[in-house]
Amino acid sequence: MNQPELIAQLQRGDESAFTRLVDEYQDLVYNTALGIVQNEEDADDITQEVFVQVYQSVSSFRGDSKMSTWLYRITLGKALDHEKKKKRKKRFGVMQRLFTGEREDGLTAAEFNHPGIQLEQKENAAALFYALKQIPENQRIAFTLHKLEGRSYQEVAEIMNTSLYAVESLMGRAKGNLKKELEKYYAR
Amino acid sequence: MDKLVEAALGSFDNAARAEAKPYLLTRIRARMERGTESVWEKAGWFIGRPAVAFTGLCLVILINAMVFVFGNTPDKETKTEQVAQNPTDEFSYTVATIYDFENTQP
């Protein structure tokens, strides 16, 4: 089924079209969310939220961009919001621990294992995921979309609503910053 | 060190897409039936934002400071009343005593 037809059916409230949409794009949404939040349960939660939003707002989708581009944008927005909420909770937790005297017992980002990474690369990938958390948001998005989702620079530019030149520049800076962070990580 | 860094940077090469957990559609439908966030949840989320919380805290401190600074000075009206009352007390020209009524003869 082609995209305009799928969108038309979704806009008419066709339940089978929604099932097909979820079947087709669930891994795209889940993998993107997982690359950003680095937690399987959170990524699953975000994936559900994304499809609920798609279901509720598909009537306003004009079809100017590809369905996948729209889904990437919603997913990235939700994943980054989730990150911010988590950071707020963490800050509140620090304040709470100051008063209660409890110690932090959370896992560090370096322990995250992406299920799609080859076994012999797990350790290196965990270090890279840790470094990714330390670099600016837009560099992290560009790097994750290109390296983990396999999108071309042109596609990344469409998703991020920017120019090809800007994506090239973002990727260059992302690699430079990741190198620095990895050097710090291995030196400790 | 350089080798380690390069190996880490290349560790995403040939990575497969992570697959979503089974029965996703069922969970999505359950979530849709549960409905969206309540008004209280939304309000809590809004108040919990650092910018809003910080602004609220500043306002409370400011109001307290204003009450402390301006609350201790006496009112203008009280002052005027006191000033107006003082000559009256001093010259007693409105005071009528029982003695004055009883002694009508010079």
Side-chain angles (χ1 to χ4, degrees):
Chain A
M1 184 188 289
N2 60 12
Q3 192 184 294
E5 202 179 325
L6 179 69
I7 294 164
Q9 286 186 348
L10 283 168
Q11 288 175 336
R12 283 198 300 270
D14 187 333
E15 291 293 320
S16 65
F18 184 67
T19 307
R20 277 197 302 279
L21 177 90
V22 174
D23 279 346
E24 196 174 331
Y25 293 105
Q26 57 181 347
D27 292 344
L28 174 153
V29 173
Y30 180 73
N31 192 47
T32 308
L34 188 62
I36 300 292
V37 297
Q38 302 182 12
N39 178 297
E40 293 189 46
E41 280 177 23
D42 291 346
D44 186 58
D45 210 40
I46 291 163
T47 307
Q48 291 174 42
E49 276 181 32
V50 168
F51 283 109
V52 170
Q53 188 175 330
V54 166
Y55 186 82
Q56 288 167 344
S57 58
V58 74
S59 53
S60 61
F61 180 62
R62 290 170 298 168
D64 294 342
S65 59
K66 284 192 279 184
M67 177 61 90
S68 58
T69 305
W70 189 47
L71 282 166
Y72 274 125
R73 284 179 188 162
I74 297 174
T75 309
L76 289 166
K78 296 242 177 236
L80 294 171
D81 273 355
H82 183 89
E83 285 264 280
K84 282 170 195 160
K85 272 187 194 172
K86 222 172 175 178
K87 274 183 192 165
R88 268 205 298 275
K89 274 187 188 167
K90 210 174 171 182
R91 272 200 296 266
F92 182 69
V94 170
M95 292 287 285
Q96 230 176 4
R97 276 194 298 280
L98 276 176
F99 293 107
T100 58
E102 285 173 30
R103 290 179 66 187
E104 193 177 7
D105 57 350
L107 292 172
T108 60
E111 288 169 24
F112 171 65
N113 277 317
H114 188 282
I117 303 280
Q118 290 169 337
L119 194 65
E120 64 272 19
Q121 292 287 2
K122 291 272 183 197
E123 211 173 309
N124 289 331
L128 184 55
F129 272 116
Y130 174 80
L132 268 172
K133 284 254 180 185
Q134 320 302 319
I135 67 171
E137 208 170 73
N138 50 1
Q139 293 175 23
R140 183 149 57 114
I141 291 170
F143 192 89
T144 306
L145 287 172
H146 180 61
K147 291 284 185 181
L148 208 59
E149 262 297 296
R151 299 294 102 190
S152 67
Y153 281 8
Q154 184 59 53
E155 285 170 314
V156 175
E158 275 171 39
I159 294 162
M160 294 182 77
N161 208 13
T162 187
S163 66
L164 184 62
Y165 174 76
V167 173
E168 284 169 353
S169 163
L170 275 175
M171 283 299 291
R173 277 182 282 150
K175 282 175 190 168
N177 285 332
L178 284 170
K179 261 187 181 178
K180 280 183 206 162
E181 292 299 332
L182 285 165
E183 279 166 1
K184 270 194 248 171
Y185 176 77
Y186 285 120
R188 62 182 194 183
Chain B
M1 173 71 90
D2 285 349
K3 272 187 182 176
L4 273 172
V5 171
E6 286 306 322
L9 278 173
S11 61
F12 284 0
D13 296 344
N14 305 317
R17 234 184 206 167
E19 288 177 14
K21 290 178 185 172
Y23 310 112
L24 177 68
L25 193 67
T26 314
R27 278 175 283 131
I28 292 168
R29 296 228 184 271
R31 186 178 275 247
M32 284 200 273
E33 277 167 26
R34 268 204 315 271
T36 51
E37 287 177 334
S38 71
V39 178
W40 290 112
E41 278 174 315
K42 280 180 186 169
W45 179 83
F46 179 74
I47 293 165
R49 290 171 67 187
V52 178
F54 185 71
T55 311
L57 185 71
C58 287
L59 265 174
V60 169
I61 293 170
L62 190 73
I63 291 167
N64 274 291
M66 281 173 74
V67 168
F68 184 74
V69 172
F70 300 111
N72 287 339
T73 50
D75 283 350
K76 268 185 180 176
E77 279 179 29
T78 321
K79 265 185 186 173
T80 323
E81 209 174 279
Q82 277 176 348
V83 171
Q85 216 172 341
N86 285 343
T88 323
D89 293 342
E90 217 166 303
F91 300 106
S92 303
Y93 51 74
T94 55
V95 178
T97 62
I98 298 167
Y99 178 81
D100 290 336
F101 283 116
E102 281 177 356
N103 298 301
T104 49
Q105 296 299 320

